């Protein structure tokens, strides 16, 4: 039995083969995530319309996204446990039913309360998608492909964001609120059919070993074991620090900032939001290739993205004029496009720190980071806008507070995580060398 080295990655015993069938099955899972992101980000292009439809102020408007992300973040560990226990197909099926029902309910909401309940239901279903897709990738592709597969999943999410930014925005202003949101819900029905008919949890011959489940004791053991790993905690803080600036911008406050604070038309603001998404897709491909070849580049890429984001926001907010010039807004949006790919690096710290039976739980813990930060910032921006009479400079300064907190935790955990990862890699190589070769003829 041999170990193939590629950077710090190894081809380990029992690795799935990948190939075309893996791409086809994984593609179905990714299509579910793609639709979930369309539904999740649909409010980003409808924020001003929602304020008019439900007659709410900035704080109440931010509650839509905060509640959705609160449900999403709160579901991450339970969903990780469910994926580890029930498998990908069952969890994804539940997720599709929930987020499609939520999108349909939002289409017909006539009151603020009904709309809030619909977004909460959507957030619950959305929460079940990404971790399931990551788990599907680890079951169908070799471990060395993990970083690239994760970035491609994120890329699909950005494609969903692009669809909501371009297509849903036009539908909303063309055919109206109810028709646009109800029509988009049909995409959930389509992916549900594909999922039920064709998705499989793992390739033949690569069934996971039976793992005993003992109720609450199992849950506590999974969470505690995942959290003890420094790599899991480092992954959470990387995700926390990198994801939220772009998430807040795309999910709710980008369009109002560009239109109300920068004096742009809705069409121009929409083009800048599209730029964020396009840059995200390009940077995701670049980051995935870099980390697949040079595993040690994970932390420099993450911290570099945080620094660039902080600098771009500082220059934009402090620009000595009523409105920042277009070139600076383009730079800001291009830099924000790196936040999503950088957040995916968090999973590249958590993945090698945990064995296969804890991958879902560890991913859930990691995924809580960015969404907790996003939820906090969405709330802070809304409250500060109301308190300061729509002073976006003060409101968006909350970004720097959370970035400082996240960077301090990353620096605190990085050495312990690196040491533990080296220990696990050495142990896996030793174990591989001592596994007797079977079936060699």
């Amino acid at each position: 039995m041999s170990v193939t080295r590629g950077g710090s990655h190894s081809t380990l015993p029992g690795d799935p083969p990948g190939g075309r069938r893996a791409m086809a099955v994984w593609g179905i899972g990714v299509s579910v995530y793609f639709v979930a992101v369309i539904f999740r980000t649909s409010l980003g292009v409808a924020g001003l319309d929602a304020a008019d439809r439900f007659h709410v102020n900035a704080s109440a408007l931010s509650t839509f996204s905060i509640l959705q992300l609160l449900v999403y973040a709160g579901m991450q560990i339970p969903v990780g446990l469910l994926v580890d226990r029930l498998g990908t197909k069952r969890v994804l099926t539940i997720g599709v039913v929930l987020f499609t029902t939520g999108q349909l309910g939002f289409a017909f909401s006539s009151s603020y309360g009904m709309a809030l309940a619909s977004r909460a239901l959507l957030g619950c279903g959305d929460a079940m998608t990404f971790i399931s897709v990551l788990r599907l990738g680890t079951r169908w592709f070799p471990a060395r492909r993990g970083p690239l597969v994760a970035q491609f999943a994120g890329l699909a999410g950005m494609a969903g964001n692009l669809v909501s930014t371009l297509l849903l925005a036009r539908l909303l202003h063309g055919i109206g609120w109810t028709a646009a949101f109800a029509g988009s819900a049909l995409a959930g029905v389509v992916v549900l059919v594909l999922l039920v008919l064709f998705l499989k949890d793992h390739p033949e011959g690569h069934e996971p070993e039976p793992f005993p489940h003992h109720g609450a004791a199992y849950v506590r053991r999974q969470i505690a074991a995942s959290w003890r790993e420094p790599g899991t905690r480092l992954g959470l803080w990387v995700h926390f620090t990198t994801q939220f600036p772009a998430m807040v911008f795309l999910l709710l406050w980008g369009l109002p900032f560009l239109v109300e604070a920068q004096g742009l038309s809705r069409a121009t603001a929409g083009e800048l939001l599209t730029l964020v998404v396009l840059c995200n897709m390009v940077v995701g491909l670049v980051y995935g290739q870099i980390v697949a070849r040079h595993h040690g580049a994970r932390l420099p890429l993450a911290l570099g993205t945080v620094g660039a984001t902080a600098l771009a926001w500082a220059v934009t907010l402090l620009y000595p004029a009523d409105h920042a010039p277009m070139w600076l807004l383009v730079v800001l949006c291009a830099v924000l496009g790196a936040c999503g790919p950088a957040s995916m690096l968090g999973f590249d710290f958590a993945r090698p720190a945990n064995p296969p039976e804890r991958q879902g739980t560890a991913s859930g813990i990691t995924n809580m980071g960015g969404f907790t930060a996003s939820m906090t910032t969405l709330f802070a921006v809304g409250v500060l806008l109301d308190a300061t009479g729509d002073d976006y400079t003060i409101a968006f300064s909350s970004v720097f507070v959370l970035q400082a907190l996240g960077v301090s935790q990353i620096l605190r955990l990085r050495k312990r995580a690196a040491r533990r990862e080296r220990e696990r890699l050495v142990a896996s190589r030793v174990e591989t060398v001592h596994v007797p070769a079977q079936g060699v003829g």
Side-chain angles (χ1 to χ4, degrees), residues 288-344:
Q289 292 286 352
I290 292 174
V291 174
R293 290 173 169 78
H294 308 285
H295 216 46
R298 293 169 298 171
L299 200 56
L301 286 175
L303 292 176
T305 302
V306 173
T309 305
L311 179 61
W313 264 121
V315 174
T316 301
L317 295 176
L318 297 176
Y319 193 81
D322 290 339
H323 299 145
M326 179 58 69
W327 68 264
L328 183 54
L329 295 177
V330 168
V331 171
L332 172 66
C333 291
V335 171
L336 288 175
C339 291
S343 71
M344 298 300 298

XYZ file of all heavy atoms in Angstrom, residues 288-344:
406
model
N -8.842 27.601 -4.864
C -8.924 26.146 -4.845
C -7.688 25.498 -5.440
O -7.143 24.528 -4.889
N -7.205 26.024 -6.548
C -6.002 25.481 -7.185
C -4.774 25.694 -6.313
O -3.924 24.810 -6.176
C -5.799 26.142 -8.554
C -6.860 25.782 -9.586
C -6.684 24.368 -10.112
O -5.712 23.693 -9.826
N -7.662 23.912 -10.892
N -4.664 26.881 -5.718
C -3.490 27.173 -4.879
C -3.431 26.238 -3.685
O -2.385 25.640 -3.380
C -3.520 28.643 -4.414
C -3.299 29.588 -5.598
C -2.455 28.887 -3.343
C -3.456 31.055 -5.244
N -4.561 26.097 -2.976
C -4.557 25.280 -1.755
C -4.397 23.797 -2.084
O -3.774 23.046 -1.317
C -5.848 25.535 -0.941
C -5.928 24.599 0.257
C -5.896 26.977 -0.489
N -4.936 23.354 -3.225
C -4.760 21.957 -3.623
C -3.289 21.630 -3.844
O -2.854 20.496 -3.599
C -5.561 21.678 -4.888
N -2.503 22.611 -4.291
C -1.078 22.391 -4.554
C -0.183 22.768 -3.370
O 0.869 22.173 -3.169
C -0.654 23.198 -5.786
C -1.223 22.671 -7.086
C -0.903 23.620 -8.238
N -1.210 23.029 -9.538
C -2.418 22.929 -10.059
N -3.453 23.398 -9.373
N -2.612 22.372 -11.237
N -0.601 23.769 -2.612
C 0.225 24.271 -1.505
C -0.665 24.452 -0.283
O -1.253 25.518 -0.087
C 0.891 25.597 -1.891
C 1.627 25.565 -3.184
N 2.852 24.941 -3.333
C 1.293 26.059 -4.413
C 3.257 25.067 -4.586
N 2.334 25.728 -5.261
N -0.743 23.410 0.526
C -1.656 23.427 1.668
C -1.293 24.522 2.667
O -2.154 25.044 3.367
C -1.635 22.059 2.349
C -2.966 21.645 2.887
N -4.140 21.752 2.167
C -3.324 21.121 4.098
C -5.154 21.312 2.885
N -4.685 20.932 4.063
N -0.027 24.876 2.724
C 0.411 25.902 3.656
C -0.043 27.296 3.292
O 0.129 28.240 4.078
N -0.640 27.458 2.123
C -1.100 28.784 1.695
C -2.445 29.162 2.307
O -2.910 30.291 2.134
C -1.212 28.827 0.172
N -3.080 28.234 3.035
C -4.421 28.505 3.553
C -4.472 29.747 4.439
O -5.286 30.650 4.211
C -4.918 27.298 4.354
C -5.172 26.046 3.549
C -5.408 24.847 4.465
N -4.237 24.585 5.288
C -4.205 23.717 6.295
N -5.309 23.045 6.620
N -3.102 23.527 6.976
N -3.607 29.806 5.446
C -3.663 30.917 6.389
C -3.233 32.244 5.760
O -3.905 33.263 5.973
C -2.821 30.598 7.624
C -3.151 31.406 8.881
C -4.614 31.251 9.250
C -2.263 30.985 10.036
N -2.135 32.297 4.984
C -1.807 33.565 4.315
C -2.927 34.079 3.414
O -3.180 35.291 3.374
C -0.554 33.209 3.503
C 0.075 32.091 4.251
C -1.075 31.292 4.787
N -3.591 33.178 2.701
C -4.698 33.608 1.850
C -5.845 34.181 2.682
O -6.432 35.216 2.332
C -5.212 32.436 1.012
C -4.341 31.979 -0.152
C -4.941 30.735 -0.797
C -4.191 33.088 -1.187
N -6.164 33.517 3.785
C -7.264 33.979 4.634
C -6.957 35.343 5.243
O -7.765 36.280 5.163
C -7.548 32.957 5.733
N -5.772 35.475 5.853
C -5.414 36.739 6.495
C -5.219 37.850 5.465
O -5.558 39.010 5.726
C -4.152 36.558 7.336
C -4.311 35.663 8.577
C -2.977 35.471 9.274
C -5.330 36.258 9.542
N -4.675 37.510 4.309
C -4.514 38.498 3.253
C -5.851 39.043 2.785
O -6.014 40.244 2.530
N -6.848 38.155 2.687
C -8.185 38.588 2.283
C -8.806 39.503 3.326
O -9.430 40.524 2.991
C -9.096 37.363 2.055
O -8.518 36.523 1.053
C -10.484 37.791 1.608
N -8.631 39.171 4.602
C -9.161 40.015 5.677
C -8.522 41.409 5.620
O -9.207 42.434 5.718
C -8.912 39.371 7.051
C -9.317 40.330 8.173
C -9.681 38.071 7.178
N -7.199 41.448 5.441
C -6.505 42.733 5.381
C -6.953 43.576 4.199
O -7.184 44.788 4.331
N -7.085 42.938 3.034
C -7.516 43.667 1.833
C -8.939 44.194 1.991
O -9.255 45.321 1.576
C -7.408 42.759 0.617
N -9.802 43.390 2.611
C -11.185 43.810 2.821
C -11.257 45.004 3.765
O -11.985 45.983 3.511
C -12.020 42.650 3.389
O -11.911 41.524 2.522
C -13.476 43.034 3.521
N -10.511 44.941 4.866
C -10.511 46.048 5.826
C -9.989 47.325 5.178
O -10.545 48.419 5.378
C -9.657 45.683 7.040
N -8.933 47.212 4.381
C -8.370 48.384 3.721
C -9.354 48.993 2.722
O -9.551 50.218 2.675
C -7.073 48.001 3.011
C -6.359 49.119 2.229
C -5.955 50.249 3.177
C -5.133 48.563 1.501
N -10.001 48.145 1.937
C -10.950 48.642 0.936
C -12.128 49.351 1.595
O -12.565 50.422 1.143
C -11.443 47.482 0.071
N -12.644 48.786 2.688
C -13.751 49.430 3.380
C -13.308 50.743 4.022
O -14.039 51.742 3.983
C -14.325 48.505 4.449
C -15.518 47.723 4.012
C -15.661 46.378 3.978
C -16.762 48.252 3.530
N -16.904 46.026 3.508
C -17.603 47.160 3.224
C -17.251 49.547 3.319
C -18.893 47.315 2.734
C -18.538 49.701 2.821
C -19.343 48.601 2.535
N -12.126 50.761 4.609
C -11.646 51.975 5.274
C -11.496 53.124 4.278
O -11.936 54.253 4.536
C -10.307 51.694 5.969
N -10.893 52.850 3.136
C -10.696 53.898 2.130
C -12.048 54.381 1.591
O -12.260 55.584 1.389
C -9.808 53.379 0.982
C -9.715 54.410 -0.149
C -8.409 53.047 1.494
N -12.983 53.455 1.370
C -14.299 53.836 0.840
C -15.078 54.687 1.833
O -15.652 55.726 1.483
C -15.118 52.575 0.495
O -14.408 51.790 -0.467
C -16.478 52.951 -0.074
N -15.116 54.264 3.098
C -15.909 54.978 4.095
C -15.311 56.324 4.468
O -16.040 57.265 4.828
C -16.060 54.109 5.348
C -16.846 52.800 5.180
C -16.831 52.001 6.472
C -18.285 53.078 4.741
N -13.976 56.437 4.388
C -13.303 57.677 4.800
C -12.979 58.593 3.628
O -12.299 59.601 3.811
C -12.016 57.333 5.567
C -12.205 56.554 6.878
C -10.855 56.198 7.485
C -13.055 57.349 7.865
N -13.446 58.253 2.443
C -13.126 59.069 1.274
C -13.666 60.499 1.473
O -14.832 60.688 1.836
C -13.741 58.462 0.010
C -13.193 59.076 -1.257
C -11.963 58.661 -1.768
C -13.884 60.093 -1.916
C -11.444 59.234 -2.928
C -13.372 60.679 -3.066
C -12.149 60.243 -3.563
O -11.636 60.821 -4.696
N -12.800 61.511 1.263
C -13.173 62.900 1.596
C -14.070 63.563 0.560
O -13.716 64.570 -0.051
C -11.805 63.590 1.668
C -10.969 62.834 0.696
C -11.411 61.396 0.797
N -15.242 62.985 0.355
C -16.229 63.570 -0.557
C -17.581 62.967 -0.206
O -17.668 61.977 0.542
C -15.861 63.280 -2.011
N -18.640 63.535 -0.736
C -19.976 63.016 -0.449
C -20.144 61.589 -0.950
O -20.778 60.755 -0.295
C -21.038 63.911 -1.087
C -21.137 65.268 -0.397
O -20.694 65.366 0.766
O -21.636 66.217 -1.027
N -19.575 61.312 -2.125
C -19.673 59.978 -2.727
C -18.285 59.495 -3.119
O -17.458 60.277 -3.600
C -20.569 60.002 -3.974
C -21.971 60.425 -3.696
N -22.716 61.176 -4.578
C -22.778 60.211 -2.623
C -23.910 61.403 -4.072
N -23.969 60.820 -2.883
N -18.039 58.217 -2.905
C -16.778 57.622 -3.365
C -16.797 57.528 -4.887
O -17.861 57.322 -5.488
C -16.605 56.235 -2.759
N -15.637 57.683 -5.545
C -15.610 57.572 -7.013
C -15.917 56.148 -7.464
O -15.729 55.187 -6.704
C -14.174 57.974 -7.361
C -13.387 57.705 -6.120
C -14.314 57.962 -4.980
N -16.369 56.017 -8.697
C -16.763 54.713 -9.208
C -15.612 53.713 -9.160
O -15.819 52.540 -8.837
C -17.298 54.851 -10.635
C -17.710 53.526 -11.260
S -18.975 52.624 -10.309
C -20.379 53.694 -10.547
N -14.394 54.166 -9.471
C -13.267 53.225 -9.481
C -13.049 52.612 -8.098
O -12.706 51.432 -7.976
C -11.988 53.907 -9.967
C -11.421 54.969 -9.041
C -11.617 56.312 -9.119
C -10.585 54.751 -7.889
N -10.967 56.974 -8.099
C -10.308 56.033 -7.324
C -10.031 53.631 -7.290
C -9.518 56.213 -6.198
C -9.238 53.803 -6.152
C -8.992 55.077 -5.624
N -13.284 53.409 -7.038
C -13.097 52.894 -5.686
C -14.193 51.900 -5.326
O -13.930 50.871 -4.672
C -13.081 54.052 -4.689
C -12.831 53.687 -3.220
C -11.561 52.865 -3.062
C -12.767 54.958 -2.370
N -15.419 52.165 -5.757
C -16.510 51.217 -5.507
C -16.281 49.907 -6.257
O -16.603 48.826 -5.758
C -17.847 51.838 -5.918
C -18.288 53.061 -5.111
C -19.588 53.622 -5.674
C -18.454 52.707 -3.632
N -15.702 50.017 -7.451
C -15.365 48.800 -8.212
C -14.310 47.996 -7.468
O -14.408 46.761 -7.348
C -14.884 49.180 -9.621
C -14.265 47.962 -10.316
C -16.033 49.730 -10.457
N -13.298 48.678 -6.937
C -12.253 47.991 -6.167
C -12.849 47.329 -4.929
O -12.542 46.170 -4.611
C -11.135 48.972 -5.766
C -10.170 48.314 -4.770
C -10.369 49.441 -6.989
N -13.714 48.055 -4.226
C -14.360 47.484 -3.031
C -15.118 46.214 -3.374
O -14.970 45.187 -2.693
C -15.312 48.512 -2.423
C -16.212 48.006 -1.288
C -15.387 47.626 -0.067
C -17.268 49.048 -0.924
N -15.902 46.267 -4.429
C -16.710 45.097 -4.799
C -15.839 43.944 -5.279
O -16.129 42.767 -5.017
C -17.726 45.484 -5.872
S -19.028 46.579 -5.251
N -14.742 44.253 -5.969
C -13.827 43.200 -6.410
C -13.167 42.514 -5.216
O -13.031 41.283 -5.172
C -12.763 43.784 -7.341
N -12.768 43.310 -4.222
C -12.150 42.740 -3.018
C -13.160 41.916 -2.226
O -12.837 40.832 -1.714
C -11.547 43.861 -2.148
C -11.094 43.307 -0.794
C -10.376 44.516 -2.857
N -14.390 42.408 -2.120
C -15.423 41.637 -1.424
C -15.659 40.287 -2.103
O -16.075 39.322 -1.455
C -16.731 42.428 -1.383
C -16.775 43.629 -0.439
C -18.082 44.394 -0.603
C -16.594 43.189 1.009
N -15.366 40.228 -3.405
C -15.504 38.961 -4.113
C -14.582 37.869 -3.632
O -14.806 36.687 -3.909
N -13.524 38.237 -2.887
C -12.603 37.225 -2.353
C -13.056 36.667 -1.013
O -12.494 35.673 -0.534
C -11.199 37.826 -2.212
N -14.062 37.268 -0.405
C -14.464 36.852 0.945
C -15.048 35.440 0.965
O -14.738 34.646 1.863
C -15.480 37.842 1.508
S -14.792 39.467 1.876
N -15.916 35.133 -0.001
C -16.510 33.794 -0.037
C -15.478 32.690 -0.186
O -15.450 31.729 0.601
N -14.579 32.774 -1.198
C -13.535 31.760 -1.327
C -12.641 31.663 -0.098
O -12.225 30.569 0.295
C -12.743 32.237 -2.551
C -13.726 33.016 -3.350
C -14.612 33.685 -2.349
N -12.336 32.797 0.533
C -11.506 32.758 1.740
C -12.223 32.028 2.865
O -11.597 31.304 3.652
C -11.133 34.173 2.167
N -13.549 32.201 2.964
C -14.285 31.512 4.027
C -14.261 30.003 3.838
O -14.301 29.243 4.810
C -15.733 32.012 4.081
O -16.487 31.557 2.972
N -14.171 29.542 2.588
C -14.115 28.104 2.324
C -12.838 27.483 2.878
O -12.775 26.278 3.129
C -14.188 27.850 0.824
C -15.479 28.329 0.168
S -16.931 27.522 0.858
C -16.583 25.832 0.421
